[in-house]
Amino acid sequence: MGSVQRAMRLLESVAEHEHGAPAKQLARETGLALPTAYHLLRTLVHEGYLRRDKGLFFLGEAAERLSSSGAQQKRRSTVVEALAHWRDLIGVPVYYAQYRDGEIEVLCVSDTPGNPAVEEWADFRETGHAHAIGQCLLAQLDEEARRDHLDRYPVRSITPYTVRDHHSLLRRLERTGRMAPVIERQEYALGTMCAAIPITLGNAAATMAISLPAHQADRLLVATQQLQEEIGRLMGSLAISISI
């Protein structure tokens, strides 16, 4: 354990020197004997946590991967916290999804036992035409990307309310403003309504969405507007975090 602690102190010390530092300086800063510091530094270089260049030590690829992973986890935590806040504030399940590498990906869902999320009874990726999340993402794509997606995942009936054919869906998507909310009523799951709000992430397509039981239809538009306002309020701080 003592060796691990000493190695961590060396890593922390190296991280403070953007332009590298020699072993003698690192030993002095960490309070280690020079032979001990040399031994640990050589081990850390061998394992890829440090690299040595012209007598100076820098963080290695292994340490940078750890840093990148930690930053990603922190960004994801920010998104999770935001969704949980909106879930409790509005009293609905909240979803976050992106269109990445040609696929619809639901990246985060926040719900409660009293307000459960929609059960994925048919693969969300294959049924984007039938739910608000998918329709919202498809509406943000250019024509070529949209047609490519629908060639791979053709329109098919999921419920009696699902859009009936490819051309009807395209007409609907073309009428949808790029940044306008998408409302879907029982097209994916009977007894459930959803609304999805487009999110601006550079050229990427993303969305925040909510769902409600059909018998609470009178709440849908109000809840959607409330989510829009909340997203607008936090969008600046979430702009980087939601690219998880």
Side-chain angles (χ1 to χ4, degrees), residues 10-29:
L10 282 169
L11 282 172
E12 291 171 352
S13 184
V14 172
E16 293 175 356
H17 297 282
E18 181 181 355
H19 303 292
K24 288 183 179 180
Q25 181 178 355
L26 295 170
R28 184 172 62 253
E29 290 177 354

Side-chain angles (χ1 to χ4, degrees), residues 7 36 62 67 119 122 127 132 157 191 206 212 216 220:
T36 300
S67 175
E119 181 182 354
T127 57
S157 293
L212 278 167
Q216 296 183 23
L220 185 62

Side-chain angles (χ1 to χ4, degrees), residues 1-9 39-40:
M1 183 63 70
S3 294
V4 173
Q5 291 173 333
R6 289 190 288 270
M8 293 301 295
R9 278 160 40 201
H39 171 71
L40 290 172

Side-chain angles (χ1 to χ4, degrees), residues 5-193:
Q5 291 173 333
R6 289 190 288 270
M8 293 301 295
R9 278 160 40 201
L10 282 169
L11 282 172
E12 291 171 352
S13 184
V14 172
E16 293 175 356
H17 297 282
E18 181 181 355
H19 303 292
K24 288 183 179 180
Q25 181 178 355
L26 295 170
R28 184 172 62 253
E29 290 177 354
T30 56
L32 298 176
L34 187 57
T36 300
Y38 268 126
H39 171 71
L40 290 172
L41 288 168
R42 284 196 299 268
T43 301
L44 290 168
V45 168
H46 177 74
E47 296 297 330
Y49 290 98
L50 295 178
R51 62 182 177 86
R52 187 177 184 182
D53 183 21
K54 298 179 181 179
L56 302 178
F57 291 89
F58 303 81
L59 290 180
E61 291 185 2
E64 290 171 354
R65 285 196 300 272
L66 286 174
S67 175
S68 175
S69 176
Q72 184 176 22
Q73 290 177 5
K74 184 175 181 179
R75 292 196 300 270
R76 181 174 179 83
S77 176
T78 300
V79 175
V80 170
E81 290 172 4
L83 263 63
H85 170 69
W86 295 333
R87 174 203 67 201
D88 295 340
L89 180 69
I90 306 173
V92 295
V94 185
Y95 312 74
Y96 171 61
Q98 282 188 28
Y99 194 83
R100 301 199 302 193
D101 300 323
E103 301 292 348
I104 293 168
E105 296 187 23
V106 179
L107 300 173
C108 189
V109 180
S110 187
D111 64 352
T112 64
N115 291 301
V118 177
E119 181 182 354
E120 187 179 356
W121 71 276
D123 193 324
F124 279 144
R125 293 171 300 176
E126 299 178 6
T127 57
H129 62 282
H131 50 73
I133 286 174
Q135 292 175 23
C136 186
L137 294 175
L138 291 174
Q140 296 177 61
L141 302 181
D142 60 36
E143 183 177 348
E144 182 180 355
R146 188 183 300 160
R147 289 186 181 277
D148 172 74
H149 182 91
L150 295 175
D151 285 343
R152 289 181 289 116
Y153 301 117
V155 173
R156 58 190 176 91
S157 293
I158 305 298
T159 77
Y161 303 96
T162 307
V163 63
R164 288 303 179 201
D165 56 63
H166 180 95
H167 296 294
S168 297
L169 175 67
L170 287 178
R171 285 197 299 271
R172 179 191 294 185
L173 295 178
E174 288 166 1
R175 290 196 302 267
T176 302
R178 180 175 172 82
M179 301 313 296
V182 173
I183 305 294
E184 166 262 302
R185 294 177 174 85
Q186 303 191 81
E187 294 183 47
Y188 175 79
L190 291 175
T192 301
M193 305 174 307

